Amino acid sequence: MLNRCSLKTESFVLALNDVSAELHTLAVRASQQASHRANQRHLRAFEAAHPDVAKSLRSLVEETVAECETLEQQVQDVRARVCAKQRAADKELVKKHSKSSSSSPKPSLSRKASSSARRKAKVVTQ
């Protein structure tokens, strides 16, 4: 009976914690929305009081955004070129490795067998 009460209490506390977390999230969201609305009011008041400055600022922001987009595209292009060069270098390295490993003489089967026998003999004598 006591165990059942303890489990019910524990599940109630967990549910209460979930509700508390959700309330906190909603409160933060409401605060952010209120702040956004206040910022919008201030912006409209500024635009009404200083239309020429507001227009210049908007133009400046639009130019800055366009420049940022151009720079982002350039960064993506450079990344693509770097990746292509890296892939080419990797392919070249694989080619060199495969050429060097195929041109080196491979030990004969009897040499492999004798080295294996020597290793086994060492293990037995130790």
Side-chain angles (χ1 to χ4, degrees), residues 91-119:
K91 284 181 182 178
E92 188 64 32
L93 189 61
V94 167
K95 273 186 192 176
K96 284 182 182 178
H97 179 69
S98 65
K99 283 181 183 178
S100 66
S101 65
S102 65
S103 65
S104 65
K106 304 223 185 239
S108 66
L109 186 57
S110 61
R111 190 185 289 168
K112 281 184 182 177
S114 64
S115 66
S116 173
R118 271 187 260 128
R119 277 196 306 270

Short mmCIF file of all heavy atoms in Angstrom, two decimals, residues 91-119:
data_model
loop_
_atom_site.label_atom_id
_atom_site.label_comp_id
_atom_site.label_asym_id
_atom_site.label_seq_id
_atom_site.Cartn_x
_atom_site.Cartn_y
_atom_site.Cartn_z
N LYS A 91 42.50 10.82 -53.99
CA LYS A 91 42.56 9.85 -55.09
C LYS A 91 44.01 9.65 -55.54
O LYS A 91 44.43 8.52 -55.80
CB LYS A 91 41.71 10.32 -56.27
CG LYS A 91 40.23 10.15 -56.06
CD LYS A 91 39.45 10.61 -57.28
CE LYS A 91 37.97 10.50 -57.05
NZ LYS A 91 37.20 11.00 -58.21
N GLU A 92 44.76 10.74 -55.62
CA GLU A 92 46.16 10.66 -56.03
C GLU A 92 46.97 9.86 -55.02
O GLU A 92 47.81 9.04 -55.39
CB GLU A 92 46.74 12.07 -56.19
CG GLU A 92 48.10 12.11 -56.79
CD GLU A 92 48.14 11.59 -58.22
OE1 GLU A 92 47.14 11.75 -58.96
OE2 GLU A 92 49.17 11.01 -58.60
N LEU A 93 46.70 10.07 -53.75
CA LEU A 93 47.40 9.34 -52.70
C LEU A 93 47.08 7.85 -52.78
O LEU A 93 47.97 7.01 -52.65
CB LEU A 93 46.99 9.90 -51.32
CG LEU A 93 47.76 9.40 -50.12
CD1 LEU A 93 49.24 9.77 -50.26
CD2 LEU A 93 47.19 10.01 -48.85
N VAL A 94 45.83 7.53 -53.04
CA VAL A 94 45.44 6.12 -53.19
C VAL A 94 46.15 5.51 -54.40
O VAL A 94 46.65 4.39 -54.34
CB VAL A 94 43.91 5.99 -53.32
CG1 VAL A 94 43.51 4.60 -53.79
CG2 VAL A 94 43.24 6.33 -52.00
N LYS A 95 46.23 6.28 -55.50
CA LYS A 95 46.93 5.78 -56.69
C LYS A 95 48.39 5.49 -56.39
O LYS A 95 48.92 4.44 -56.74
CB LYS A 95 46.85 6.81 -57.83
CG LYS A 95 45.65 6.74 -58.69
CD LYS A 95 45.83 7.73 -59.83
CE LYS A 95 44.55 7.93 -60.59
NZ LYS A 95 44.70 8.96 -61.63
N LYS A 96 49.06 6.46 -55.73
CA LYS A 96 50.48 6.28 -55.40
C LYS A 96 50.67 5.08 -54.50
O LYS A 96 51.60 4.30 -54.68
CB LYS A 96 51.03 7.54 -54.71
CG LYS A 96 51.29 8.68 -55.63
CD LYS A 96 51.88 9.85 -54.86
CE LYS A 96 52.12 11.03 -55.76
NZ LYS A 96 52.65 12.19 -55.02
N HIS A 97 49.80 4.93 -53.54
CA HIS A 97 49.92 3.81 -52.60
C HIS A 97 49.72 2.48 -53.31
O HIS A 97 50.45 1.53 -53.08
CB HIS A 97 48.91 3.96 -51.46
CG HIS A 97 48.98 2.84 -50.48
ND1 HIS A 97 50.06 2.67 -49.63
CD2 HIS A 97 48.12 1.81 -50.21
CE1 HIS A 97 49.86 1.61 -48.89
NE2 HIS A 97 48.70 1.06 -49.22
N SER A 98 48.73 2.43 -54.19
CA SER A 98 48.47 1.17 -54.89
C SER A 98 49.61 0.84 -55.85
O SER A 98 49.97 -0.32 -56.01
CB SER A 98 47.14 1.22 -55.62
OG SER A 98 47.17 2.18 -56.66
N LYS A 99 50.22 1.87 -56.47
CA LYS A 99 51.36 1.62 -57.37
C LYS A 99 52.56 1.13 -56.59
O LYS A 99 53.23 0.19 -56.98
CB LYS A 99 51.74 2.90 -58.13
CG LYS A 99 50.83 3.24 -59.27
CD LYS A 99 51.31 4.49 -59.96
CE LYS A 99 50.36 4.89 -61.07
NZ LYS A 99 50.79 6.15 -61.72
N SER A 100 52.84 1.76 -55.44
CA SER A 100 54.03 1.38 -54.68
C SER A 100 53.86 -0.01 -54.06
O SER A 100 54.80 -0.77 -53.98
CB SER A 100 54.33 2.41 -53.59
OG SER A 100 53.31 2.41 -52.62
N SER A 101 52.66 -0.34 -53.66
CA SER A 101 52.47 -1.66 -53.06
C SER A 101 52.47 -2.76 -54.11
O SER A 101 52.87 -3.88 -53.84
CB SER A 101 51.19 -1.71 -52.24
OG SER A 101 50.06 -1.54 -53.08
N SER A 102 52.06 -2.45 -55.34
CA SER A 102 52.06 -3.48 -56.38
C SER A 102 53.45 -3.66 -56.97
O SER A 102 53.77 -4.74 -57.46
CB SER A 102 51.07 -3.11 -57.49
OG SER A 102 51.49 -1.94 -58.16
N SER A 103 54.31 -2.63 -56.91
CA SER A 103 55.64 -2.77 -57.50
C SER A 103 56.64 -3.38 -56.53
O SER A 103 57.68 -3.86 -56.94
CB SER A 103 56.15 -1.40 -57.97
OG SER A 103 56.33 -0.54 -56.85
N SER A 104 56.35 -3.35 -55.23
CA SER A 104 57.30 -3.93 -54.27
C SER A 104 57.21 -5.45 -54.34
O SER A 104 56.13 -6.00 -54.47
CB SER A 104 57.00 -3.45 -52.85
OG SER A 104 55.75 -3.91 -52.43
N PRO A 105 58.36 -6.10 -54.24
CA PRO A 105 58.33 -7.56 -54.35
C PRO A 105 57.64 -8.18 -53.13
O PRO A 105 57.87 -7.76 -52.01
CB PRO A 105 59.80 -7.95 -54.41
CG PRO A 105 60.51 -6.80 -53.76
CD PRO A 105 59.68 -5.58 -54.02
N LYS A 106 56.81 -9.14 -53.40
CA LYS A 106 56.11 -9.83 -52.32
C LYS A 106 56.93 -11.05 -51.92
O LYS A 106 57.51 -11.70 -52.78
CB LYS A 106 54.73 -10.26 -52.79
CG LYS A 106 53.91 -9.11 -53.31
CD LYS A 106 52.51 -9.20 -52.80
CE LYS A 106 51.70 -8.11 -53.43
NZ LYS A 106 51.10 -7.21 -52.63
N PRO A 107 56.97 -11.31 -50.62
CA PRO A 107 57.73 -12.49 -50.21
C PRO A 107 57.08 -13.76 -50.76
O PRO A 107 55.86 -13.84 -50.88
CB PRO A 107 57.69 -12.45 -48.69
CG PRO A 107 56.59 -11.51 -48.34
CD PRO A 107 56.38 -10.61 -49.52
N SER A 108 57.91 -14.71 -51.05
CA SER A 108 57.37 -15.96 -51.58
C SER A 108 56.62 -16.69 -50.48
O SER A 108 56.79 -16.42 -49.29
CB SER A 108 58.51 -16.84 -52.12
OG SER A 108 59.32 -17.23 -51.02
N LEU A 109 55.82 -17.64 -50.86
CA LEU A 109 55.01 -18.38 -49.90
C LEU A 109 55.92 -19.13 -48.93
O LEU A 109 55.65 -19.17 -47.74
CB LEU A 109 54.09 -19.36 -50.64
CG LEU A 109 53.08 -20.10 -49.79
CD1 LEU A 109 52.22 -19.11 -49.03
CD2 LEU A 109 52.21 -20.99 -50.64
N SER A 110 57.02 -19.68 -49.43
CA SER A 110 57.91 -20.44 -48.54
C SER A 110 58.56 -19.50 -47.53
O SER A 110 58.77 -19.87 -46.38
CB SER A 110 58.96 -21.19 -49.36
OG SER A 110 59.75 -20.26 -50.07
N ARG A 111 58.90 -18.28 -47.95
CA ARG A 111 59.48 -17.32 -47.01
C ARG A 111 58.46 -16.96 -45.94
O ARG A 111 58.79 -16.86 -44.77
CB ARG A 111 59.93 -16.07 -47.77
CG ARG A 111 60.77 -15.15 -46.88
CD ARG A 111 61.11 -13.86 -47.57
NE ARG A 111 62.09 -14.05 -48.63
CZ ARG A 111 62.38 -13.11 -49.52
NH1 ARG A 111 61.75 -11.96 -49.50
NH2 ARG A 111 63.28 -13.33 -50.45
N LYS A 112 57.20 -16.76 -46.34
CA LYS A 112 56.15 -16.47 -45.36
C LYS A 112 56.00 -17.63 -44.39
O LYS A 112 55.88 -17.43 -43.19
CB LYS A 112 54.80 -16.24 -46.07
CG LYS A 112 54.63 -14.90 -46.68
CD LYS A 112 53.22 -14.79 -47.24
CE LYS A 112 53.00 -13.46 -47.91
NZ LYS A 112 51.66 -13.38 -48.50
N ALA A 113 56.00 -18.82 -44.93
CA ALA A 113 55.83 -20.01 -44.09
C ALA A 113 56.99 -20.14 -43.11
O ALA A 113 56.79 -20.46 -41.94
CB ALA A 113 55.70 -21.25 -44.95
N SER A 114 58.22 -19.88 -43.58
CA SER A 114 59.37 -20.04 -42.69
C SER A 114 59.36 -18.96 -41.60
O SER A 114 59.72 -19.24 -40.46
CB SER A 114 60.67 -20.01 -43.47
OG SER A 114 60.84 -18.74 -44.07
N SER A 115 58.96 -17.72 -41.95
CA SER A 115 58.91 -16.69 -40.91
C SER A 115 57.82 -17.01 -39.90
O SER A 115 57.98 -16.78 -38.70
CB SER A 115 58.69 -15.30 -41.53
OG SER A 115 57.42 -15.23 -42.13
N SER A 116 56.73 -17.59 -40.36
CA SER A 116 55.66 -17.99 -39.45
C SER A 116 56.15 -19.10 -38.53
O SER A 116 55.88 -19.09 -37.32
CB SER A 116 54.45 -18.46 -40.25
OG SER A 116 53.48 -18.99 -39.40
N ALA A 117 56.91 -20.04 -39.07
CA ALA A 117 57.44 -21.14 -38.27
C ALA A 117 58.43 -20.60 -37.24
O ALA A 117 58.45 -21.06 -36.09
CB ALA A 117 58.12 -22.17 -39.17
N ARG A 118 59.25 -19.62 -37.62
CA ARG A 118 60.19 -19.03 -36.66
C ARG A 118 59.45 -18.34 -35.51
O ARG A 118 59.84 -18.45 -34.36
CB ARG A 118 61.10 -18.00 -37.37
CG ARG A 118 62.36 -18.65 -37.94
CD ARG A 118 63.32 -17.61 -38.50
NE ARG A 118 63.11 -17.64 -39.96
CZ ARG A 118 62.86 -16.58 -40.73
NH1 ARG A 118 62.83 -15.39 -40.22
NH2 ARG A 118 62.68 -16.73 -42.00
N ARG A 119 58.39 -17.61 -35.84
CA ARG A 119 57.61 -16.96 -34.79
C ARG A 119 57.03 -17.99 -33.84
O ARG A 119 57.06 -17.83 -32.62
CB ARG A 119 56.49 -16.11 -35.40
CG ARG A 119 56.94 -14.72 -35.83
CD ARG A 119 55.75 -13.82 -36.06
NE ARG A 119 54.78 -14.37 -36.98
CZ ARG A 119 54.76 -14.20 -38.29
NH1 ARG A 119 55.69 -13.46 -38.85
NH2 ARG A 119 53.85 -14.75 -39.04
#
